[in-house]
Amino acid sequence: MNDSRPADVAAQRCSEADDLLRQNKPVEALKALDQALEADRDCARAIIGITMIAERLTVTKYSKHFDRLILHCLQSPHGNPEALTNPAGHLLQLKYGLPDSQSRLTNSVRTESGLEGLRKDGLLITYLVTTINRNLTLESFLQSVRTEIWHRFTQGRLSGEWQGLIAALAVQAHNNEYIWDISESEREWLDATAEQLERLEGEITEATATLFLVFAMYRDPWELSKLRQRLRERSADRWSPALRFAVDRTIGKRARQIQLVPSIPRLSAAENPTSGSVRQMYEANPYPRWLHVTPALRQVDASYRLIAQYPHLGPLPKSEGPMQILMPGIGTGRLAVWAAQRYHHVQITAVDLSIQSLAYGKYMAESYGISNIDFRQGDLLTLEGQYERIECIGVLHHLENPEAGFERLVSCLKQGGVIQIMLYAEAARRDIWRLRTRLGLSHTNMSFDEIRRIRARILRDDGDLTAFNGLARRPDFHSTSGFRDLILHVQESTFTINRLRRMIEAADMRFIGFEFASSQVMSMFGESEAEQRYRKAYPDERTLSSLSNWEAIEASHPNLFGNYTFWCQRP
Ligand SMILES: C[S@@+](CC[C@H](N)C(=O)[O-])C[C@H]1O[C@@H](n2cnc3c(N)ncnc32)[C@H](O)[C@@H]1O
């Protein structure tokens, strides 16, 4: 008789999967994790493991079983929809037989039964509401579905049963910040409908609910201030679940974020002029647009991984209370929430120029029940205080003088304290600079419409900017704030290892090492190409921390770094 508890069986299968991964057998590991879920549907380890493997496997054939597995992971609180975006998008592409190019609605889907299928597709609906789609074929397909729904609506052929799919498309549009292209006739209808919605009086009927949802598949209903007010005053009790969900995601959530603005203290009014234009950009487009952080299985000491990864690190500062971590340029707070969930006994100060970004972060932190992050508005150039650790990711290259920003941050570190920085690598930004030159971009603010049009010129086969469509492989290409941050930034500079070295030396800091793994997960899949090259070229320098060695490697392999993420220590 087998009397093992389901949780024990699941744990056993997970351990087998770990072994199989170490032997580089991801398909077999996936099977073991699948069995773990059969024993225990909520096994967090199995869900995290499946997500990790699915992120790296290329599926070539659609299977119902894999569909159910991915759906389960997308819906689980332990799931990570961001990591599942590519595999789930690819699976949907296979499911609907979409070719590997920009596709249009195929004939089989155009039929009533085809569209019926979409309406009831749990994976599709969940995918739309939990991710920001990055699959261009799917984007094109979904645009066609949207147009078909719009046609049916304008011809009076759409019943209330469609609201679920329409609401999911509206939430996807909200997630990607309305970046999908719109035809001229759709635009005209939207302009007229915006006026109609603003004039609406009385209770929300099924017909007005559908009108709202169809509009929200294309345009941000937040723009309609009178409607927004009216919806917030009305009781949602009698609305359909689809309408309630879409209104909450597109209007309610944003309203709750804005309410948090007055509670965020301002550090100092002084602001450098470049910081002023950078702030304006991020006030209009808080970045990054993140929807979810996978909860940690358990909390660890914040120094633990650092010491394991860089054994040559000098002694770290000792503190009585929680470790004080400063995160300047935190944006919408994703990395602070990630750290607060994972690190034991820390207090995080999260600073940014943009109050709207901070409000997004504070809202998300509260929704995860996190209370050890202090969100503060201010310019990092005016920061003071003494911290044990500073993490500053993707920020300094947006300063007029990044080196001055680095020095300022270093002055806020205790002796022995560590700082993590991420900066753009020159080689990885060349295509973007070429595109900017081609567009003749000056430091102007671009409207949403212009952004959509430029993106469509890059994507269309006959577009004049098709040569740049490799940019679509970058996740930021698929949301408006991401696109602006990636391509249309008002202030950015790039680095080489040589410039890094000079900056670090001038600030009297000790370089500890580059960080190649974007998460702990990556390290299970072996060392990066850069690390392997270093070890081969300099087998005796085992700390991988000589910047002149790295400079030599980069000279012969200029595209090795997508960006530079590294740690330094204050001696
Ligand atoms: C590309 S975003 C990165 C956000 C976040 N670090 C992340 O990686 O998720 C850059 C952020 O830096 C902020 N920033 C730029 N210059 C700053 C400065 N001088 N002081 C404080 N924040 C700044 C911007 O407002 C923006 O939110």
Side-chain angles (χ1 to χ4, degrees), residues 136-290:
L136 288 179
T137 310
L138 205 54
E139 173 177 330
S140 175
F141 172 67
L142 292 168
Q143 274 179 290
S144 305
V145 170
R146 184 175 70 169
T147 303
E148 179 69 20
I149 290 173
W150 169 65
H151 275 310
R152 286 174 185 224
F153 177 73
T154 53
Q155 293 160 2
R157 292 194 290 128
L158 203 65
S159 66
E161 288 170 331
W162 287 90
Q163 282 195 3
L165 176 61
I166 306 175
L169 282 162
V171 172
Q172 172 59 211
H174 170 78
N175 293 351
N176 69 41
E177 299 158 289
Y178 308 90
I179 199 154
W180 294 352
D181 203 15
I182 296 178
S183 71
E184 220 23 73
S185 43
E186 285 167 330
R187 196 184 311 276
E188 279 167 23
W189 180 84
L190 288 165
D191 289 342
T193 305
E195 284 178 24
Q196 190 186 342
L197 283 168
E198 281 290 67
R199 285 195 309 267
L200 272 186
E201 296 290 345
E203 281 305 319
I204 307 286
T205 61
E206 186 175 307
T208 49
T210 311
L211 180 71
F212 170 86
L213 290 171
V214 173
F215 178 86
M217 290 195 301
Y218 291 90
R219 268 224 203 138
D220 190 355
W222 180 266
E223 287 167 15
L224 308 180
S225 55
K226 288 193 196 123
L227 175 77
R228 183 169 89 207
Q229 191 56 31
R230 212 162 308 123
L231 285 172
R232 292 184 59 211
E233 285 160 8
R234 296 278 188 283
S235 149
D237 293 351
R238 287 169 45 206
W239 296 355
S240 65
L243 179 68
R244 218 176 306 147
F245 178 64
V247 170
D248 186 64
R249 283 294 187 92
T250 57
I251 293 177
K253 205 168 130 188
R254 175 111 173 246
R256 292 196 289 278
Q257 282 165 21
I258 288 175
Q259 275 168 5
L260 293 174
V261 165
S263 69
I264 298 173
R266 192 152 181 194
L267 284 176
S268 91
E271 194 176 72
N272 160 293
T274 301
S275 305
S277 45
V278 171
R279 180 171 57 74
Q280 268 177 16
M281 171 182 148
Y282 285 106
E283 290 299 20
N285 304 88
Y287 171 92
R289 181 80 147 194
W290 60 283

Side-chain angles (χ1 to χ4, degrees), residues 275 282 287-288 329-331 335 352-353 378-380 393-395 399 485:
S275 305
Y282 285 106
Y287 171 92
I330 193 62
L335 298 172
D352 203 278
L353 292 168
D379 191 331
L380 69 82
I393 304 297
V395 183
L399 268 62
D485 192 81

